[in-house]
Amino acid sequence: FDNVEGKTSGGTELDTDSRPFKMFKKAFEIAMYIIDNTGFVPIEVKSVLGNHSQMVEFSVFWALSIIYRDVRHIKFDVDERSRKVFVYGKNLVGLAHGNNIGKAEQDLWLQNEFRQEWANCDYAEVHTGHLHQEILFSEKGGITKRTNPTLKIIDKYEHDHAWSSKKVV
């Protein structure tokens, strides 16, 4: 969620097992733990905003970018853009939450917005997370699309909508 009332950026009220300030601290601690335990090699942290907690996510990653600003091998890509990419060898990987991409644009945004990167790579994948479940879409237009599952147990809202998760209580 994105505020002390336990609502998302769009105003949807969520069922939570904790207090907002405690959850904010825990999110910050988890992100720092991941960076500290992978940051011994060059890494780039990319923040891609979704539809649940835009201000919280931005705040956490902006603060982390300040904390680690003097660590030369840790780079941050923190801004409000909802679509980003990275290149790994000859692989172009697109990152998007997936909540604000229209059906017609799902197969076009990567090559339209990131033409140079697209031209220099042999393979392309798009990773999203909006649907809260793992889905491997077939390749279309030279792009493999993956939807990654949520990393938490399902909550009441997800349960009520019969959305599943691989995470077990």
Side-chain angles (χ1 to χ4, degrees):
F1 47 78
D2 213 20
N3 57 43
V4 294
E5 287 85 29
K7 295 180 180 178
T8 66
S9 300
T12 302
E13 191 169 333
L14 299 177
D15 180 34
T16 65
D17 289 336
S18 189
R19 297 178 313 276
F21 294 110
K22 184 178 179 183
M23 289 181 71
F24 179 87
K25 290 177 191 176
K26 185 55 72 178
F28 197 86
E29 289 170 6
I30 290 169
M32 274 192 85
Y33 176 85
I34 292 168
I35 293 168
D36 287 343
N37 286 281
T38 58
F40 51 88
V41 296
I43 61 171
E44 185 171 359
V45 178
K46 291 186 176 284
S47 169
V48 178
L49 301 180
N51 62 318
H52 284 233
S53 51
Q54 294 177 3
M55 287 304 296
V56 169
E57 293 168 30
F58 180 81
S59 299
V60 165
F61 286 102
W62 179 257
L64 289 170
S65 74
I66 301 301
I67 291 169
Y68 292 99
R69 72 177 163 230
D70 294 327
V71 182
R72 293 187 186 275
H73 63 279
I74 302 176
K75 305 290 182 215
F76 282 82
D77 182 356
V78 181
D79 58 35
E80 65 280 358
R81 289 178 296 147
S82 60
R83 293 176 302 284
K84 297 181 181 179
V85 297
F86 69 90
V87 174
Y88 185 77
K90 287 290 190 177
N91 303 286
L92 176 61
V93 181
L95 305 171
H97 184 72
N99 61 303
N100 58 357
I101 302 174
K103 198 163 185 76
E105 290 77 24
Q106 287 179 3
D107 299 319
L108 300 173
W109 72 268
L110 190 63
Q111 59 268 45
N112 285 340
E113 292 181 40
F114 299 95
R115 292 177 187 269
Q116 189 64 49
E117 294 89 341
W118 176 266
N120 293 329
C121 290
D122 294 334
Y123 306 97
E125 285 201 9
V126 171
H127 291 253
T128 62
H130 182 63
L131 300 177
H132 293 228
Q133 52 189 284
E134 187 172 30
I135 302 169
L136 173 58
F137 293 94
S138 61
E139 222 178 327
K140 184 175 181 184
I143 302 172
T144 299
K145 293 188 282 185
R146 300 178 192 276
T147 298
N148 300 300
T150 183
L151 299 176
K152 64 172 191 62
I153 59 172
I154 61 171
D155 58 29
K156 183 180 181 321
Y157 184 82
E158 292 164 332
H159 174 75
D160 289 349
H161 288 83
W163 296 340
S164 62
S165 172
K166 288 184 177 181
K167 180 75 174 170
V168 180
V169 178

